[in-house]
Structure formats: structure tokens, C-alpha cells
Amino acid sequence: MSGSNRPTITQDAVMADINAQADDLLAELGIFDSSSSASPAPPPPPPATGSGPAPPPPPPPPPAVKASPTTTTTGPSAKPAKTNRPAKTMQEELDEVFDSVISFANKASNRKKTPPPVAPKPKRKTHVSSYTVDIKGNKATPVSQPAAAPSTQPAPSLAPSVPTPPKGSPVKMAIVEPTAFGPGLESFEVNTPGTFEVSCAPETREKDLEVKAVGPTGSKNVIIEPLGTGQFSCEYTPSVAGEHKVTIKVKGKEIKGSPFTANVKYASYTDKAEAFGPGLEFGTTDQPCRFTVRLKEEAGFTRMRVHILGASRAEPIEMAEIEDNAIEVTYHPTAPGEYTIRVLWGEAHVKGSPFNVNVTGPINNDPSKVKVTGDGLSGGQVGEPIKLFVSADVGSGPGPLGVKLIGPSKPSIVADDSSEEGVEVTIKCLDPGEYRMMVKWGDEEIPGSPFVIPVGGKGRDIKPELCTAIGDGLTHGKVNEFAKFIVHIPEDAGPGSLGVSISGPHPPKPIEIINNQDGTMDVNYKPLAPGEYKINCTFGDLHIKESPFTAKIEGEAVRNPLLVTASGDALIKPVLCGQLAVISIVAGEGAGAGPLRAKMEGPSKADLHLQSTPEQTFEASFCPKDSGEYKLYFMWGDGNDDESQIAGSPFTIKVE
């Protein structure tokens, strides 16, 4: 073929090819459909001249991409238009085209809505019951969930889903900067979930995201839920008020605005409604408890919420209008103990809320309302987890749940009650055969119990029943003295490891285990409080012979009140009259077993409520009704008040 007949590839042809690729890219993004484009159809190819093939006509450009101002696109033989500006290089032309594509993609992607976050349920610390109604014209209408607190920050645009160009491509990728927004980064109420969302590049995975929340009492557990396309829903629940620092990192680098400062505050109060009645003062487990919420004429339209926390779920919670502007609330506790009742009008507590109610009477359990479900009922394999789910309907009572298995070997049983729906039970057996599982609710077996669970597979390689323990520390001991015992693990017990855990009035930490390299292990622990302690000794996660053991510890408890500290705004700032104030108390290492006691003196009686939280931490809340100066005393242990006061006690509280 001669050189004169060779097809001529012009810059216009290259630009047309780039435009066609841009069409395909936009079509993949769902932003531009090349098959339905309003662009005119390409003209038919001109007839071939000469012996060589004619150059192919360029496809039409997409509407969003304009040709370079230095060229014309009327045909393959068109000449560059005259201009006073210097001609652009091929790289500059390519950069300009792709910048136009990215700009168009970003604008279209910003019109997409962020998927709604899926809020994971927090772990249950106590039984909680809630009821919410809409108030329209002072008429109550039940609703499913209260509205979430709106965020004051604008929701960020979603990152455009732009495909990564092939290696060596001259196109430039858009850089997406991660952002975060939501009430959990701004301001919300104590003991309620602080939620927020993090928006990252589409390829960001959960392992790339690191979120930490730290408050006055230390770090808080943050639950992260992936929503797809680089979007994440996050949540944490503070137990005390004050500033909480939230640090957000993506691939090890802090995002813009991090660390965020969230103001966690206590509930506000309203005078538009009032609550009163015997159900806010006392109750019994054998009859319904009632109280009344009266609305003032100017109460307007909003929501009324009732939350009950206590020894049982106190369900069902019922609301009924008994007269104009008055709603009667009925709840049904099934276990005695202290209950906290919160009555909220809109987002604010009514006067006196939260109310502390002492419920007396016997425990009322109904095992017929408890059921077991799950694939584990049909059996499982040796060494593999067998999972079951135990759920209790309204009116079942507080339980507790008891699960026991009888079979060829003693299996391990782990119960997880972090779900509000019920308790997940995980069983692991080391020998095949039939196991009879007895499930009790309180003192009675539930319907269908005992359940027969077949377990298949090969028998175990370890034999924990061959392991034995001896020593005084298994049966008795003295406070603040080391209690000791020895565990013997013979060779024919198989491969495994020794596990020791101790529970009781004040579990001793640490537990010292020494391997004597002769098949025996020395175990030492030092109890700091008297009482009965349960000692669990396991080999390969299964109890050894005669485990668990019960040791009775005698003597006076060891306590150091000066290692117990208190913190909170109420200790350094004036408290408003009628406003709930909360103080955090932390027992440091070596403080001993407690218990924590408190009393308050001042112009009027301020209802003082103590609540324990995990890891030797406590909350003290009070609501002063009169202004003036109050004295707040905290004592650690049950000894003399003056000798038991914690560091800084008594505290002076000023009420305005």
C-alpha cells in the first residue's frame, strides 16, 4: 500500500474517540445514556476514493463535553481555526475533557440521597420499656418511634462513584475528602444514642475507618454500621453529661473537623404538663400501677414519652384519655426493686421526672410465654457452636433464664443477653451423642423442655474430667491474704489450656497462675472483701472435675475511700433549681469493695439516687427544689461515715 493511500489520523479523530469514551463512562455511572442521547446521528460515511480505505467518521460528542476551542469538528479534513491563543497540547486537551466529565458526574451524584442509617441496638444494662404517643389537640395517638434529634450541620454530598482508570491512563481522578455530620458530633441528651454519619470515597471499607469517643469517664464503645458506597452510620451512648471528644480517622488520617466536640447534656424541663399519682410513688407486682399526666391548655401539639427502667420490663405500658387534657398511664412490673420512670413532653421532662419508684411483692414469672428457636434445636457437630435463641413475650416476668445440658460430656454454655429481642445461647460439645437441654424461666421449665439435641462427629481429644484441683483456696480464705490451690493436669487429659475465673462480692484481680512444668499449676488470688466466692476451673473451655468450687472468705473488707473520686459540672458550677444534676463516681484500683453510700443536706429535701455502672463506676443524680447551699456526702464502705468519705467529700453544691 502506498503512503498516499494510508488513512490520516487527525487530532479531531482522537478528540472524537475521547468523547465516545466519555459517553460510555457516563452511561456506566447512570448519569448519561448514550443510546438515548439527543445528539444528532452521525452522517453516513463518504464513498471510498482510491484503492485505500477511507478514515472512519468520528462519533458525535456528548452534550456535556464541548470540543476544544482551538479546533473545528466539521469533518476529518477540517483545518484548525485561527486564534490568537497558543495551541493546546494533546495532554491539555485530555485533561480538559476528563475535568468536564468529573464535574458533570459530581453534580449528578449530589442529587442522590444518602441511604437511611441502620441504628444497631445498644447492649442492655437493665430492663427498659418505652411508650410514645402523638398529642394533637391534646388527643393521644400511639406512634412507633420518637423523632430523632435533627442535625444542625448540612448533610455532605455523596462521593461520586467514578471508576478507577486503567493503569497508565492520562486521566486524573477526583479526590473525595471524608466528612462527618450528625447530633452525635454536636449536642444530644445523656443516656440516649449519639448518632452520626461518615461519608468517604466509595472504595472505603469498614476496616479503613477508626472512630473513638472519649468522655469524662473514659472511652465509650462506638458501633459502626456500613451503609455502602463509602457511607457509615456510627453510634455511642454516654452515661454521663459533659464534653465528649470524637476522633475520626480514615486510613490512619484524621478527617476535617476531627476531633469533634459533642456537648452531652441532661434533659431540660417543661411546665406544660405535670405527672402525679400513686404509680410514681410506689407499686406492687401483683397489680397494675397507674399515674396521670395532665396537660395545660397551652401544651400544644407534640409527643409524650414514658420510659421505665427497672428489675422487669413492666409491660404492657398502656395509655388512655380519662378526661379532657388528662392521660392515665398504666404499667405492670413483675419483679420487686427500684424503678426509674421518665415522663417527657416533647424533648423535655415534666417536673419531678425522672421519678424513683419502689416496687414490692413477689416475682411473677410466666414460663408459658418463653420460647426457644434456632437451628441448634435440630442438632450440630462436635466442637462447633450450636446456637439457640430464647425470647420472652410481654408478661413473661423477669426470669432469670436457666439452661442446663445432660449428655455424654459436659458442654460449654455461653449466654449473650445484649439483644433487646432475647438471649442468644451458644453450646459447644466435645463428644457425640444425644444431649437433653433443660430450659427454666425462674424456677419452672418452659413448654417443650427438655429439648433433645443430637450431636454428631468425632469424639474429643481432651478429657477435662481427668484434671483435679486441691488446696485450701478452693474452700476458704481470709481477706487481704493470698488464697492458694494447685491444679493437676495429667498427660492423658490431652492438649488444652487451664482457665480460672472467680466471681463474688469483689472479684479479686489479678489471678496468678504459675506453670510448674511438672503437670501442675499453682493458682494464687487475694480477696479484698468477705463472702462466698465461686471458682471456675476449666481445661479446654470445659470444667475440670468438681468445678465450680465455692470458697468462703472471712475478715474485714479492705477499702481505701481516698482512691474513690467524683466529677461533674454540679461540683464546680451552680445548679439551677428544679434541674436534674448528675455526678460520676469512679473507684480506682485498690479502693476495695465498697459499697458506695451518699447523703445530702440543704434547704430542702433533694431526692438522691445512686446507680451503678460497669467497672466500679457509679452515677449520683438529684433534683433540688429550693435554691441555696447544699452539702453532698459520699461514703465508701459500710463503716463510720467520717472515716469512709471519699476524696473531696463533703462537696458544696450551690443551687440558684
Side-chain angles (χ1 to χ4, degrees), residues 296-314:
K296 295 186 179 181
E297 292 293 338
E298 66 274 18
F301 301 164
T302 188
R303 284 178 169 176
M304 187 179 82
R305 289 180 286 161
V306 175
H307 302 281
I308 301 179
L309 302 88
S312 68
R313 297 186 67 88

Side-chain angles (χ1 to χ4, degrees), residues 319-341:
M319 294 189 183
E321 188 176 21
I322 54 176
E323 57 184 76
D324 287 344
N325 303 336
I327 298 173
E328 184 179 67
V329 181
T330 305
Y331 63 98
H332 302 77
T334 55
E338 290 290 331
Y339 288 73
T340 300
I341 301 178

Side-chain angles (χ1 to χ4, degrees), residues 356-526:
N356 297 320
V357 180
N358 182 35
V359 175
T360 59
I363 294 177
N364 290 334
N365 282 321
D366 187 351
S368 66
K369 296 182 178 180
V370 180
K371 58 183 179 182
V372 180
T373 58
D375 295 338
L377 287 175
S378 58
Q381 294 294 311
V382 166
E384 296 182 2
I386 301 172
K387 294 184 179 293
L388 306 163
F389 197 79
V390 182
S391 56
D393 294 336
V394 173
S396 59
L401 173 67
V403 179
K404 182 180 180 181
L405 271 82
I406 299 177
S409 64
K410 189 175 182 179
S412 66
I413 303 174
V414 178
D416 179 7
D417 65 348
S418 60
S419 170
E420 287 289 338
E421 307 300 325
V423 180
E424 183 182 65
V425 178
T426 302
I427 302 165
K428 187 179 290 187
C429 303
L430 294 183
D431 282 330
E434 281 194 350
Y435 290 78
R436 297 173 66 246
M437 182 180 71
M438 288 165 282
V439 180
K440 286 187 174 183
W441 190 250
D443 297 327
E444 299 180 38
E445 290 191 52
I446 70 171
S449 178
F451 302 89
V452 177
I453 300 178
V455 176
K458 185 181 178 181
R460 58 181 171 164
D461 295 324
I462 64 172
K463 300 177 180 179
E465 69 274 8
L466 298 181
C467 303
T468 57
I470 58 173
D472 293 342
L474 296 172
T475 57
H476 61 275
K478 292 184 178 181
V479 170
N480 205 30
E481 293 184 8
F482 276 106
K484 303 179 180 182
F485 60 90
I486 299 173
V487 179
H488 178 236
I489 304 174
E491 290 186 3
D492 51 356
S497 58
L498 175 66
V500 179
S501 64
I502 302 176
S503 59
H506 187 66
K509 295 180 181 180
I511 301 172
E512 185 181 48
I513 301 178
I514 302 172
N515 189 344
N516 297 319
Q517 304 298 328
D518 59 358
T520 64
M521 301 257 191
D522 290 342
V523 181
N524 305 319
Y525 67 96
K526 183 188 285 188

Side-chain angles (χ1 to χ4, degrees), residues 631-644:
K631 289 289 185 181
L632 179 57
Y633 300 81
F634 288 115
M635 285 74 66
W636 186 247
D638 48 13
N640 180 277
D641 285 358
D642 293 334
E643 297 176 355
S644 302

